[in-house]
Amino acid sequence: MRNITVLSGGMGGARFLQGLLHGIAAGTLPGVAPDAEVTVVANTADDIWVHGLKVCPDLDTVMYTLGAGIDLERGWGRREETWSVKTELAEYGVEPTWFGLGDRDVATHLVRTQMLDAGYVLSEVTEALCKRWQPGVRLLPMTDDRVETHVAIADADSPSGRRVVHFQEYWVRLRAAVAAETVVFVGLDDAKPAPGVIDAITDADLVVLPPSNPVVSVGTILGVPGMREAITATRAPVVGLSPIVGGTHVRGMAEQMLTSIGVEVSAAAVGLHYGARSAGGVLDGWLVDVRDADAIAPLEEAGIACRAVPLMMTDHDATAAMAAAAVGLVTG
C-alpha cells in the first residue's frame, strides 16, 4: 500500500494520524510501504466566521498537530498561546466573547481570510498554510464551498420552543450540556468535493475512517455529494475505528450527536450506522474496543468484518497498533 486516505475530524482524527504516521515510519503496518503517502480529507462543516475571520477548526487542528504546533493540553489551538486580542475585544464589548482567538492562532486566520478575499479557494489556501507547517500529509478540505453545522436546542422563550445555534456555540459556549434536538447542515447538499478529494478516495490503496465524530465530522464528509459514490467505486478496502468505547465517547460529543439522529450510543450501532459497503454503506471493516467485543457478532452478520482491540490512543505506539490492526483487518 502506497496511498492511504483518511476522512478526518479534529482532535480524534489528528491524534490517530500521528499514530498512523508513526506506524508507517516504524514499518509496523502490515503491507504498507515505508514511503506510503497519506492524504487527509478534513471536515469543514464546523467552520465559522469570527470577527471577520474565516476559522477552520478541524483543518487547523490536523495541521497544527502534525506540524508540532498544537497545544497538547487543550488539544486545539497553538501551544504557548497568549490572549491579548481576545482580552481587548472583550473590553470593547465585541461579541462573540465565548469564542476566543489566540494571538498566534489569529495569524493563521488572517492569512486564510486575506487569501480567500483575494480569490483563492479554501483548498489552495490550505496548501499554502501547510507549506509552513509541513504536516507530512496532503491535507484537503472536504469542499471549497461554505458549509456550516447548526444545532437546534430547546428555548422556552422562543415562539417555536426551540432555537438554532452554530455548532461552535453549542460546543464552546454551551459545552454540549443541553440536548441537541436536531442537527442541520447548511449548504451541504449543494457542496462539491474539493479538487483532489474524489481522486484521493478512488485511487487509494486504503481508506480509513478514524475515531472522529460520526455525525458532525466523518458524517459531514460523507454527506458531500459524490463522496459516498466515490467510496462505493474505490477498489481500496474501507476500514473504520469506533469512537465509542465502553458505551460512551472518549472525548468530544459523539453521544449527544448520535442521540440527535436517533442512533444508539454503542460501537455496534455506529458501525451499523455507517453500514456495510456490500449493502450500500461505506465499511468493509470496523474495529471496536476490547470492552465492546459483543459488537462483533451483529456487525459481522451485517457484512462488516470486525475485531476487538484496545482503542485508547494513550501514546503514538498504542495508536500505531490501532492503525496496524485496522490495516490487518481488511487486508489479512
Side-chain angles (χ1 to χ4, degrees), residues 61-272:
T61 295
V62 172
M63 184 175 70
Y64 289 159
T65 299
L66 300 184
I70 199 78
D71 183 298
L72 294 174
E73 184 175 340
R74 291 197 310 265
W76 56 270
R78 291 290 308 281
R79 58 182 171 85
E80 300 177 358
E81 186 62 278
T82 55
W83 303 92
S84 298
V85 171
K86 177 185 178 183
T87 300
E88 288 299 308
L89 286 169
E91 289 294 328
Y92 280 113
V94 177
E95 295 289 345
T97 56
W98 50 264
F99 195 97
L101 300 178
D103 301 331
R104 290 188 167 199
D105 193 30
V106 76
T108 297
H109 311 315
L110 281 167
V111 172
R112 177 185 292 120
T113 304
Q114 288 175 339
M115 291 188 69
L116 291 171
D117 287 346
Y120 294 95
V121 295
L122 184 58
S123 52
E124 294 171 326
V125 175
T126 302
E127 182 179 6
L129 293 173
C130 284
K131 288 180 180 178
R132 175 190 175 182
W133 290 102
Q134 296 294 309
V137 299
R138 184 186 182 201
L139 181 58
L140 302 174
M142 67 184 197
T143 181
D144 283 334
D145 298 317
R146 183 170 180 172
V147 177
E148 291 187 1
T149 301
H150 294 255
V151 181
I153 60 174
D155 183 356
D157 296 328
S158 170
S160 66
R162 61 165 58 176
R163 64 188 175 97
V164 177
V165 299
H166 192 284
F167 171 78
Q168 293 299 334
E169 183 174 358
Y170 180 76
W171 176 227
V172 178
R173 188 177 76 83
L174 300 176
R175 300 184 182 277
V178 298
E181 295 188 358
T182 189
V183 182
V184 181
F185 304 107
V186 179
L188 186 61
D189 291 343
D190 297 322
K192 299 180 292 295
V197 166
I198 296 300
D199 288 344
I201 294 172
T202 57
D203 296 342
D205 298 315
L206 177 71
V207 177
V208 182
L209 278 56
S212 293
N213 193 299
V215 181
V216 294
S217 293
V218 177
T220 51
I221 298 171
L222 295 175
V224 176
M227 205 73 74
R228 284 181 175 268
E229 290 80 358
I231 290 178
T232 299
T234 184
R235 293 172 295 177
V238 181
V239 60
L241 298 91
S242 175
I244 304 299
V245 173
T248 187
H249 54 237
V250 178
R251 191 171 185 175
M253 69 191 88
E255 184 172 339
Q256 293 93 322
M257 295 295 99
L258 287 168
T259 301
S260 75
I261 63 169
V263 175
E264 179 186 272
V265 184
S266 70
V270 175
L272 294 172

Side-chain angles (χ1 to χ4, degrees), residues 267-289:
V270 175
L272 294 172
H273 170 67
Y274 283 136
R277 200 148 64 121
S278 60
V282 299
L283 291 177
D284 296 308
W286 184 241
L287 282 187
V288 300
D289 188 77

